[in-house]
Amino acid sequence: MAKVTIQQLQKMKEDGEKISMVTAYDFSQAVLVEKAEIEVILVGDSLAMTTLGHEGTTALTTDEMIAHIRPVVKGAPSPMVIGDLVFGSYNESIAQAIHSSNRLIKEGGCDAVKLEGALPDTVRAIVDAGIAVQGHLGLTPQTAVLLGGFKVQGKGHDAALKLLDDARRLEEAGVFSIVLECVPEELGRVMSQIVSVPVIGIGAGRFCDGQVLVFHDMLGLFDRFTPRFVKQYRQIGQEIVGAFQEFKEEIRNGSFPSEEHAFSGFSREEADGILAGIKSRMN
Ligand code: KIV
């Protein structure tokens, strides 16, 4: 697959071809996503929970984010790689937002950045600085406290209109795409129709321009909780536990390692001779 561009994603929307996006946080995950020819990788701040074991996303630092973007970029040359701006790295000032975006691009090597919330001025400034920005509306985990927790957003007429207005303002500010999280599916459909850029849904129903899922959620690698909108395509976590249990059992019963996993260099007799020599010198 050739390197995916913003223009290609835009054309996919215009042609009605659905876009696929998944998160990845390290080299081996990125290699797998590359092989599957997924168009977009998000190095999402969900890594704070899935990979670093935090309760939420707010503790993640820009240094940590960069450390995860780098191996993903190495492992996946073809998909567009988007780095998440972490909480606290773009809410102080526009200058701070540009600085943080520069770091993800320069030090991490990703193609674009994503930021949460209706912040058109911030988006415009980052885009003017020459960096592609993806927006993120609906349930925005970094500020979930303000939204009343991890709940469906945009329910009801006014809330839906507000989100649609936010989407248009982000579009005008220059985002190349919008992630829309955890909203009624009719809102996902309408937003995909009223903005010209691709809307990538997560828990936003069937009618968005594309879909994104978190790597660990869709593969059964994170069992603290599974939101209703997640489809678990595989139970890799259970597979891994099974493999470790087998490994342990084979170590205990002596069937691993077997001869095929061992190296030969000298015979048992030679080894016994060396051992006898050592013992006699010790006595
Ligand atoms: O951090 C993340 O994984 C995300 C997705 C939920 C879109 O922002």
Side-chain angles (χ1 to χ4, degrees):
M1 186 169 73
K3 180 74 186 174
V4 174
T5 61
I6 291 174
Q7 291 70 19
Q8 185 180 337
L9 298 177
Q10 187 61 40
K11 182 159 187 326
M12 286 177 78
K13 171 168 175 134
E14 283 155 18
D15 293 349
E17 207 185 320
K18 299 278 185 179
I19 297 164
S20 46
M21 167 163 148
V22 71
T23 67
Y25 317 109
D26 69 24
F27 179 78
S28 58
Q29 292 168 357
V31 168
L32 298 172
V33 179
E34 163 90 25
K35 282 187 184 162
E37 300 196 355
I38 297 276
E39 286 93 15
V40 186
I41 294 183
L42 170 67
V43 187
D45 63 358
S46 50
L47 79 86
M49 300 161 84
T50 60
T51 307
L52 302 182
H54 293 299
E55 288 292 328
T57 57
T58 51
L60 196 69
T61 67
T62 295
D63 284 343
E64 287 169 328
M65 176 52 74
I66 289 168
H68 285 270
I69 294 173
R70 279 186 181 146
V72 169
V73 169
K74 287 186 192 146
S78 313
M80 165 173 291
V81 178
I82 302 174
D84 233 350
L85 285 168
V86 304
F87 178 76
S89 74
Y90 58 101
N91 59 1
E92 288 177 12
S93 65
I94 283 184
Q96 185 209 23
I98 296 174
H99 178 73
S100 303
S101 305
N102 279 337
R103 287 199 64 200
L104 298 197
I105 302 287
K106 250 176 119 67
E107 298 175 45
C110 56
D111 303 303
V113 301
K114 172 170 89 58
L115 61 78
E116 293 186 6
L119 301 171
D121 294 342
T122 308
V123 167
R124 194 172 291 110
I126 300 172
V127 174
D128 284 349
I131 294 171
V133 181
Q134 182 176 59
H136 184 160
L137 294 174
L139 175 55
T140 44
Q142 292 177 6
T143 48
V145 171
L146 296 174
L147 303 174
F150 287 77
K151 288 184 177 160
V152 179
Q153 302 296 310
K155 275 176 153 180
H157 187 259
D158 291 352
L161 278 184
K162 163 89 175 66
L163 275 180
L164 292 172
D165 188 48
D166 290 345
R168 293 183 92 128
R169 290 194 304 136
L170 287 186
E171 179 190 17
E172 278 165 24
V175 294
F176 72 89
S177 163
I178 296 171
V179 166
L180 181 61
E181 180 164 355
C182 213
V183 298
E185 86 167 352
E186 279 309 317
L187 180 53
R189 188 175 63 79
V190 174
M191 191 179 290
S192 302
Q193 284 175 4
I194 67 154
V195 297
S196 61
V197 296
V199 174
I200 312 293
I202 174 163
R206 292 165 287 175
F207 311 115
C208 295
D209 303 308
Q211 298 289 332
V212 54
L213 281 178
V214 167
F215 189 99
H216 291 60
D217 287 343
M218 63 180 291
L219 296 176
L221 287 166
F222 184 75
D223 56 11
R224 267 200 209 155
F225 61 87
T226 307
R228 164 164 168 198
F229 56 71
V230 169
K231 177 169 176 183
Q232 284 198 338
Y233 284 83
R234 295 287 189 282
Q235 288 288 342
I236 309 285
Q238 277 176 20
E239 284 284 310
I240 292 174
V241 174
F244 289 147
Q245 286 168 335
E246 229 174 279
F247 174 60
K248 178 178 177 178
E249 181 51 30
E250 290 193 357
I251 292 169
R252 287 163 81 102
N253 68 26
S255 59
F256 179 81
S258 62
E259 203 176 345
E260 62 175 308
H261 302 114
F263 302 103
S264 57
F266 44 83
S267 68
R268 170 72 66 94
E269 288 71 26
E270 284 172 304
D272 286 347
I274 293 169
L275 182 62
I278 293 171
K279 276 185 175 165
S280 70
R281 278 204 301 278
M282 287 166 67
N283 292 330

